[in-house]
Amino acid sequence: RQPRGPCPSGERLCSAEEATAGSGTYTRHGFIFSSLAGCVEKKSEDSGLPVVSVVRDAESQLLPDVGAVVTCKVCGINSRFAKVHILYVGSTPLKSTFRGTIRREDIRATEKDKVEVYKSFRPSDIVLAKVISLGDAQSNYLLSTAENELGVVVARSEAGVQMVPISWCEMQCPRTHTKDFRKVARVQPQFLQT
């Protein structure tokens, strides 16, 4: 059987006697349900029952999940938090922009009370962060940079040159040698988005 049209998550697909539950499905009370929104596929197996699975539509949006490492761009800061646009989940670029917030208390793991947002991020910085919750509105994710691997990965100086990290909390412009405070990430190569 070829794929059927799209089905929403939680739709009852068929009786568990007619098929085996494959990926993207679960069995309850003798029926197979879809566990995600996507296209239903039924594949015949030589051994007997066909396998029903639900495949995420390639066009459907990848969503940042709690615990995911995301690459984002700082679009605004104030004394309490930094506002960001999420650009990548892992190494996958997002088709549309999601908004995120990095609160002051989620910037560092230590000395949280001494953290100053403007000494951690600046607008247009590229930051690696971890999703800690799906914030108030569905479109506003709460993010944290309180791990060594997380923080600013790309920052430009006032001269427009990409700055070089010189410590956990400072970056320097190679042209003017001006130093700026940042919450610097120790970047793991697999996350580097240039």
Side-chain angles (χ1 to χ4, degrees):
R1 290 260 297 276
Q2 284 310 302
R4 289 190 350 206
C7 79
S9 174
E11 184 178 328
R12 192 167 87 179
L13 304 175
C14 63
S15 157
E17 290 165 10
E18 295 170 45
T20 309
S23 61
T25 69
Y26 61 93
T27 309
R28 185 179 289 160
H29 305 311
F31 289 96
I32 297 173
F33 294 84
S34 65
S35 61
L36 48 86
C39 291
V40 182
E41 290 184 349
K42 217 171 193 177
K43 289 196 182 120
S44 298
E45 296 286 314
D46 302 338
S47 57
L49 289 177
V51 174
V52 170
S53 51
V54 178
V55 182
R56 260 215 180 102
D57 178 6
E59 288 302 302
S60 77
Q61 179 62 266
L62 174 73
L63 295 173
D65 265 339
V66 172
V69 172
V70 296
T71 306
C72 43
K73 185 174 187 173
V74 178
C75 53
I77 57 172
N78 66 25
S79 60
R80 290 178 299 116
F81 51 77
K83 287 278 184 203
V84 301
H85 285 148
I86 300 171
L87 309 174
Y88 288 82
V89 173
S91 57
T92 309
L94 293 173
K95 292 191 178 68
S96 56
T97 309
F98 291 91
R99 289 193 302 274
T101 301
I102 305 170
R103 298 175 304 186
R104 196 176 78 121
E105 60 267 31
D106 298 323
I107 292 175
R108 288 187 183 276
T110 56
E111 299 190 315
K112 295 180 182 193
D113 50 330
K114 294 184 182 161
V115 172
E116 292 179 81
V117 178
Y118 74 95
K119 286 188 176 178
S120 305
F121 310 114
R122 296 283 168 88
S124 81
D125 283 357
I126 301 297
V127 174
L128 220 49
K130 190 172 268 186
V131 180
I132 50 174
S133 83
L134 313 179
D136 32 33
Q138 198 50 47
S139 60
N140 194 10
Y141 290 84
L142 285 180
L143 308 175
S144 164
T145 54
E147 288 175 36
N148 289 345
E149 283 73 30
L150 306 176
V152 177
V153 285
V154 180
R156 296 202 176 277
S157 67
E158 288 180 7
V161 183
Q162 187 166 324
M163 297 205 291
V164 180
I166 52 172
S167 75
W168 290 111
C169 56
E170 281 187 303
M171 286 182 147
Q172 186 171 30
C173 172
R175 187 183 296 165
T176 63
H177 304 296
T178 312
K179 293 176 186 174
D180 265 342
F181 286 108
R182 288 293 196 285
K183 196 296 181 183
V184 180
R186 181 176 70 205
V187 181
Q188 297 170 315
Q190 73 262 33
F191 289 128
L192 201 54
Q193 298 299 334
T194 47

